[in-house]
Amino acid sequence: MNRLYHYPLSPFSRKVRLSMAEKKIEVELVEERYWEQDADFLRRNPAGKVPVLKMGNRTMADSTAICEYLEDSHPTPPLLPNGAEGRYEARRIVAWFDDKFYKEVTAKLLGERVFRKVMGTGYPDSTNVKAGSRAVKYHLDYMAHLLDQRRWLAGNDMTLADFAAAAQLSCLDYISDVDWNRHEVVKDWYAKIKSRPAFRSLLADQVPGFPQPAHYADLDF
Amino acid sequence: MNRLYHYPLSPFSRKVRLSMAEKKIEVELVEERYWEQDADFLRRNPAGKVPVLKMGNRTMADSTAICEYLEDSHPTPPLLPNGAEGRYEARRIVAWFDDKFYKEVTAKLLGERVFRKVMGTGYPDSTNVKAGSRAVKYHLDYMAHLLDQRRWLAGNDMTLADFAAAAQLSCLDYISDVDWNRHEVVKDWYAKIKSRPAFRSLLADQVPGFPQPAHYADLDF
């Protein structure tokens, strides 16, 4: 059985969970408090981060390398377009969310509001929270700009770019930090992706000490 | 003509320069002081970072997406192995150097010793410099561990993983921050990659205020 070591509110774990579910690859989820740097876990991934995927006798780390592996080894349904240009655009947007959005928004909002408490590293830093709240607006505007020209973020087909974005946004939505009314086109996009069967497992996530808000799992939010 | 907006001591620019040179794709280099956030440059890449590649009428950003694009559009010579497993391993190591090595070593050593001066953001923070000097040893040990089992970092063929590593290490070597005598196997690996024609342009780089040390361009260092 495939096994994914993950954390429910890790956007990088969620990106892999969405890809596997969309490709109908069964996987057992094992919650990993990776910041405790358990020796067994560090043996599985010397980088000390989730997600880590065990598939057969292979143990794999790094969400981007894992998603590319899933694409190479389980090409149906494809999560990257066919041509080099389309693939570039999807990967550029994946990197945008994994790097820029994560650093500017997720790390600042989720990092301060949830992870500080969970990891026991003190009170939220309000400067970071304010910076994250400002930055999320700019990113939602950028998404609206893309979605005004295309059905999905990287083109007219759903790709890994949509999963990378939804992985970050769904974590923030769990703590009610996304203003879905800012752009109708972004809300419609999230409603479409949220209603996919691949999303169900994310909507069932529960984090002790942080009860799920009512709108989080509601498809008609 | 293809044009790459880069900065000489940007490891991510160097990774793209190495890939393009290895694939014999001609490109004009344009030095970009990206931290000045010039409006023209931000129009080319809203993420505000180098490298940015202009190829025909396409403008591309994000070094990982660019390298994958080059692989898709110019597959010869290949810089990723054939099978899904080999490709995974190469991409994992690329991410290791782009993310972990960069954050733990390059940002701390090059960031403090060079970029602070170039960008005018004050004096080096000695805590960061010390942390970077400690971390580089651990990474050199990890490379030796890999190279004890393989001819190149990701297997028996040279891949993008070697370019990602050499891109970071060559920047540090420019400021004499790599102890090549720590592991003979790592020194041999660097000597091999440094003597490739693709490396020549990197060895000619000059940064005002930071004269090239004698060993930097010496193939017999």
Side-chain angles (χ1 to χ4, degrees):
Chain A
M1 179 60 162
N2 304 317
R3 184 176 282 187
L4 186 75
Y5 299 90
H6 82 122
Y7 187 74
L9 291 183
S10 148
F12 306 103
S13 302
R14 287 184 166 216
K15 187 178 61 167
V16 172
R17 289 164 69 192
L18 288 169
S19 292
M20 295 189 83
E22 190 72 23
K23 289 176 180 290
K24 300 198 168 48
I25 308 170
E26 282 195 41
V27 63
E28 179 195 356
L29 296 177
V30 180
E31 194 173 319
E32 186 66 59
R33 295 170 65 87
Y34 58 95
W35 56 90
E36 291 171 358
Q37 304 271 309
D38 169 81
D40 267 357
F41 183 66
L42 284 176
R43 206 159 27 246
R44 282 191 292 270
N45 178 18
K49 292 194 300 187
V50 287
V52 168
L53 177 61
K54 213 166 166 305
M55 247 180 145
N57 55 6
R58 299 188 62 81
T59 299
M60 293 182 276
D62 185 77
S63 72
T64 297
I66 291 173
C67 287
E68 293 276 357
Y69 173 79
L70 296 172
E71 198 60 24
D72 283 340
S73 61
H74 297 72
T76 312
L79 291 175
L80 287 175
N82 249 324
E85 279 76 17
R87 296 166 80 80
Y88 158 74
E89 182 64 357
R91 286 171 171 138
R92 175 187 75 83
I93 296 174
V94 169
W96 178 282
F97 284 94
D98 283 1
D99 296 343
K100 192 172 166 69
F101 188 98
Y102 176 75
K103 241 178 261 163
E104 293 175 359
V105 182
T106 313
K108 295 212 154 70
L109 292 174
L110 201 71
E112 295 294 339
R113 290 201 215 269
V114 176
F115 283 90
R116 276 200 185 267
K117 190 168 167 192
V118 170
M119 298 181 184
T121 53
Y123 291 103
D125 175 327
S126 64
T127 315
N128 280 342
V129 172
K130 272 181 210 151
S133 302
R134 260 196 316 273
V136 69
K137 290 179 192 162
Y138 155 79
H139 282 280
L140 290 170
D141 293 352
Y142 183 58
M143 291 176 75
H145 162 75
L146 293 175
L147 292 167
D148 277 338
Q149 312 160 51
R150 312 161 167 181
R151 291 187 55 222
W152 296 91
L153 286 174
N156 287 328
D157 296 310
M158 192 191 66
T159 65
L160 198 52
D162 299 288
F163 284 172
Q168 303 281 337
L169 285 164
S170 63
C171 287
L172 295 172
D173 195 37
Y174 190 96
I175 51 169
S176 307
D177 262 341
V178 186
D179 173 11
W180 294 115
N181 293 321
R182 190 171 173 88
H183 293 288
E184 208 181 325
V185 72
V186 178
K187 187 177 183 178
D188 289 348
W189 166 86
Y190 192 62
K192 263 195 301 185
I193 207 163
K194 194 175 177 179
S195 63
R196 294 186 86 82
F199 226 85
R200 273 181 213 146
S201 135
L202 275 57
L203 299 181
D205 280 343
Q206 295 282 359
V207 180
F210 295 89
Q212 238 193 41
H215 71 270
Y216 172 76
D218 186 357
L219 297 184
D220 192 21
F221 53 107
Chain B
M1 180 60 162
N2 304 315
R3 185 177 282 186
L4 186 74
Y5 299 89
H6 82 123
Y7 187 73
L9 291 183
S10 148
F12 306 102
S13 302
R14 286 184 167 216
K15 188 178 62 167
V16 173
R17 290 164 69 190
L18 288 169
S19 293
M20 294 189 83
E22 191 72 23
K23 288 177 181 288
K24 300 198 169 48
I25 308 169
E26 283 194 41
V27 64
E28 180 196 354
L29 296 177
V30 180
E31 194 173 318
E32 186 66 59
R33 295 169 65 88
Y34 59 93
W35 56 89
E36 292 172 357
Q37 305 272 308
D38 169 80
D40 268 356
F41 183 65
L42 284 175
R43 208 163 21 247
R44 283 191 291 271
N45 178 17
K49 294 194 298 188
V50 288
V52 168
L53 177 61
K54 213 165 169 305
M55 245 179 146
N57 54 6
R58 299 189 62 82
T59 299
M60 295 182 276
D62 185 78
S63 73
T64 298
I66 291 174
C67 287
E68 293 277 357
Y69 172 80
L70 296 172
E71 198 59 23
D72 283 340
S73 60
H74 297 74
T76 313
L79 291 176
L80 287 175
N82 249 323
E85 280 76 18
R87 296 166 79 81
Y88 159 73
E89 182 64 356
R91 286 173 171 136
R92 176 187 75 82
I93 296 173
V94 169
W96 178 283
F97 284 95
D98 283 0
D99 296 343
K100 193 171 165 71
F101 187 98
Y102 176 76
K103 242 178 259 164
E104 294 175 0
V105 183
T106 313
K108 294 211 156 68
L109 292 175
L110 201 70
E112 296 294 340
R113 290 200 216 269
V114 176
F115 283 91
R116 276 199 185 270
K117 189 168 167 193
V118 171
M119 298 180 183
T121 53
Y123 291 103
D125 175 328
S126 65
T127 315
N128 279 342
V129 172
K130 271 181 210 149
S133 302
R134 262 197 316 273
V136 68
K137 290 179 192 160
Y138 155 79
H139 282 280
L140 290 171
D141 293 352
Y142 183 59
M143 290 176 75
H145 162 75
L146 294 175
L147 291 167
D148 277 338
Q149 312 160 50
R150 312 162 167 179
R151 292 188 52 224
W152 295 91
L153 286 174
N156 286 329
D157 296 309
M158 191 191 68
T159 66
L160 199 51
D162 300 287
F163 283 172
Q168 303 281 338
L169 286 163
S170 63
C171 286
L172 294 172
D173 195 37
Y174 191 96
I175 52 169
S176 306
D177 262 340
V178 186
D179 174 11
W180 294 114
N181 292 321
R182 189 170 174 90
H183 294 287
E184 206 180 327
V185 73
V186 178
K187 186 176 183 175
D188 289 349
W189 165 86
Y190 192 63
K192 260 195 302 184
I193 207 163
K194 193 175 177 178
S195 63
R196 294 185 87 82
F199 226 84
R200 272 180 214 147
S201 134
L202 275 59
L203 299 181
D205 279 342
Q206 295 282 359
V207 180
F210 295 89
Q212 237 193 43
H215 72 271
Y216 173 77
D218 185 358
L219 296 183
D220 192 22
F221 54 106

